């Protein structure tokens, strides 16, 4: 990782709704010397570049470049992988697996050939399976590849908890862990506000907390059913992740990584609280989970392994 952060280059892989919302969020957040847009349609990329360039005059000095060739993405510090098919109405993220695993096989090695030291942030769904796959098909050091995982689910959960708890979502320390999808689970037993367990608040009830979690888990379907795709929440999540990298922020975020003896589970990418700095994931934190939550973690890993090994290209 470069020490001189004023030359930090982010490459967005896949200039669709998520990729472009991320690019816009990064531009407004600032701190990035260059945002490179990679996609297959050069004509569209040129329009996206010009539109973003106009926004630089009102935000931060940032070079915008475009490419339809991964080999041109040299000197990148982080790749943000948003290329691939999006979830259709009623489709689970896991049903997307076979389609999008192939794109990872094709692109991930090419990207890391262009910039071998770059971090690779997976966003395309099913993000945990794709993170696992990217780790498998590239020769990278631990912590270099990770997925946005349940950072978005956690943000959604905190937002819905804040609808009945008396503080801003930022101050509700409650995580959604496991899969970004149907096999996620809320870590309610450790959730707290101001070092007081949620259960200590008169406004709290387990039913309301589970309802907040269900709203978070079903959010993608609700939004896709209404307007076709989700992109603002994930755009803000990507900006949060990239800022923690560019500032060497060591933020604790729920991100997808290949776990190694996490409550006895190994060999699959799922979300756990991670410390994220300039060199990627520094460590996974062992969240305090009660027996039921540990069981959910185990089920999540078993379910993902089942789907991963059934759907990965032969
Ligand atoms: P989109 O259809 O708007 O954009 C996808 C882009 O990928 C398109 O520009 C397409 O041309 C490009 N693409 C497809 N195959 C490619 C290839 N082989 N090489 C290069 N580019 C390729 O979709 P979107 O709404 O931007 O969603 C993108 C992905 O992000 C989806 O998989 C979606 O499910 C996922 N997503 C993830 C989260 C999360 O929390 N992880 C949240 C929202 C969406």
């Amino acid at each position: 990782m470069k020490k001189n952060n004023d030359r930090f280059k982010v490459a967005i892989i896949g200039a669709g709704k998520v990729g472009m919302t991320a690019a816009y969020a990064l531009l407004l957040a600032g701190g990035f010397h260059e945002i490179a847009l990679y996609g297959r349609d050069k004509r569209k990329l040129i329009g996206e570049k010009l539109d973003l360039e106009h926004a630089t005059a009102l935000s931060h000095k940032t070079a915008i470049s475009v490419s339809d060739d991964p080999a041109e993405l040299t000197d990148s510090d982080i790749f943000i992988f948003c290329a691939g098919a999006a979830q259709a109405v009623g489709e689970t993220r896991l049903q997307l697996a076979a389609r999008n695993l192939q794109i990872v096989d094709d692109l991930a090695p090419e990207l890391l050939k262009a910039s071998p030291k770059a971090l690779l942030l997976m966003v395309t769904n099913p993000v945990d399976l794709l993170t696992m796959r990217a780790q498998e098909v590239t020769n990278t050091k631990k912590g270099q590849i990770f997925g946005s995982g349940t950072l978005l689910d956690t943000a959604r959960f905190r937002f819905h908890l804040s609808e009945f708890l008396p503080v801003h979502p930022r101050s509700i320390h409650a995580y959604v862990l496991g899969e970004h999808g149907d096999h996620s689970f809320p870590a309610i037993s450790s959730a707290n506000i101001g070092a007081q367990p949620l259960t200590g608040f008169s406004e709290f009830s387990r039913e309301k907390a589970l309802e907040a979690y269900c709203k978070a888990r079903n959010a993608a379907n609700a939004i896709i059913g209404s307007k076709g795709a989700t992109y603002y929440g994930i755009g803000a999540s990507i900006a949060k992740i990239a800022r923690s990298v560019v500032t060497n922020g060591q933020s604790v975020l729920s991100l997808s990584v290949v776990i190694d003896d996490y409550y006895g589970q190994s060999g699959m990418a799922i979300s756990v609280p991670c410390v994220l700095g300039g060199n990627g994931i520094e460590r996974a934190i062992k969240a305090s989970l009660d027996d039921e939550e540990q069981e959910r973690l185990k089920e999540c890993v078993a379910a993902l392994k089942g789907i991963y090994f059934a759907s990965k290209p032969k």
Side-chain angles (χ1 to χ4, degrees):
M1 186 55 48
K2 289 173 190 163
K3 293 280 178 280
N4 184 359
N5 282 343
D6 63 351
R7 302 294 300 175
F8 197 94
K9 175 173 171 180
V10 183
I12 307 272
I13 309 305
K17 291 177 282 298
V18 170
M20 287 317 303
T21 308
Y24 184 58
L26 292 168
L27 182 62
L28 296 189
F32 307 100
H33 165 72
E34 179 176 344
I35 298 176
L37 306 175
Y38 164 81
R40 296 178 298 186
D41 180 352
K42 196 84 178 264
R43 188 162 165 266
K44 176 175 185 288
L45 290 179
I46 288 166
E48 296 287 11
K49 168 179 156 72
L50 190 58
D51 205 358
L52 283 178
E53 281 172 339
H54 295 160
T56 64
L58 301 160
S59 54
H60 298 277
K61 186 168 183 282
T62 311
I64 312 291
S65 59
V66 299
S67 174
D68 58 4
D69 179 0
E72 289 176 357
L73 298 172
T74 52
D75 292 326
S76 299
D77 294 290
I78 184 166
F79 292 114
I80 300 181
F81 198 106
C82 311
Q87 202 177 350
V89 185
E91 186 180 37
T92 69
R93 290 185 180 89
L94 301 179
Q95 287 168 329
L96 273 176
R99 288 198 276 162
N100 285 345
L101 282 168
Q102 187 61 51
I103 299 177
V104 174
D105 283 8
D106 295 343
L107 263 180
E110 291 297 309
L111 298 173
L112 288 162
K113 204 159 118 193
S115 294
K117 290 190 177 156
L119 303 183
L120 175 57
L121 167 64
M122 301 304 297
V123 178
T124 304
N125 277 319
V127 66
D128 302 288
L129 300 187
L130 268 57
T131 302
M132 180 71 199
R133 186 66 182 167
Q135 188 74 61
E136 272 193 352
V137 297
T138 57
N139 185 21
T140 49
K141 66 179 173 52
K142 210 171 162 200
Q144 191 175 349
I145 293 183
F146 52 96
S148 59
T150 59
L151 181 59
L152 177 56
D153 314 56
T154 293
R156 287 170 170 162
F157 183 43
R158 290 177 182 181
F159 168 76
H160 289 299
L161 286 172
S162 79
E163 292 182 304
F164 64 90
L165 291 168
V167 300
H168 191 275
R170 192 186 302 120
S171 296
I172 302 176
H173 305 291
Y175 288 92
V176 174
L177 303 176
E179 187 210 357
H180 170 59
D182 299 338
H183 299 95
S184 66
F185 61 93
I188 295 178
S189 66
S190 60
N192 72 85
I193 294 172
Q196 178 169 158
L198 287 199
T199 46
F201 286 78
S202 59
E203 296 90 342
F204 177 84
S205 75
R206 192 167 168 81
E207 292 67 38
K208 282 195 208 162
L210 289 176
E211 197 187 325
Y213 163 67
C214 287
K215 283 186 186 167
R217 193 186 58 193
N218 300 332
N221 270 340
I223 298 169
I224 290 167
S226 163
K227 61 172 215 166
T230 79
Y231 34 90
Y232 298 131
I234 186 62
S237 304
I238 291 168
K240 177 92 182 163
I241 292 168
R243 286 288 306 163
S244 190
V245 172
V246 73
T247 61
N248 194 20
Q250 296 189 307
S251 299
V252 176
L253 304 171
S254 52
L255 297 170
S256 186
V257 281
V258 180
I259 51 169
D260 182 15
D261 194 18
Y262 197 89
Y263 281 99
Q265 302 298 312
S266 303
M268 179 46 62
I270 62 161
S271 283
V272 295
C274 293
V275 180
L276 179 64
N279 292 313
I281 305 279
E282 293 178 7
R283 59 188 289 190
I285 293 175
K286 190 173 179 195
S288 168
L289 303 177
D290 66 16
D291 289 350
E292 190 189 327
E293 291 160 356
Q294 287 181 42
E295 197 51 39
R296 299 285 298 274
L297 180 108
K298 213 167 129 189
E299 285 165 13
C300 168
V301 172
L304 284 178
K305 280 186 176 173
I307 294 157
Y308 183 69
F309 292 111
S311 61
K312 78 178 191 179
K314 302 280 180 280

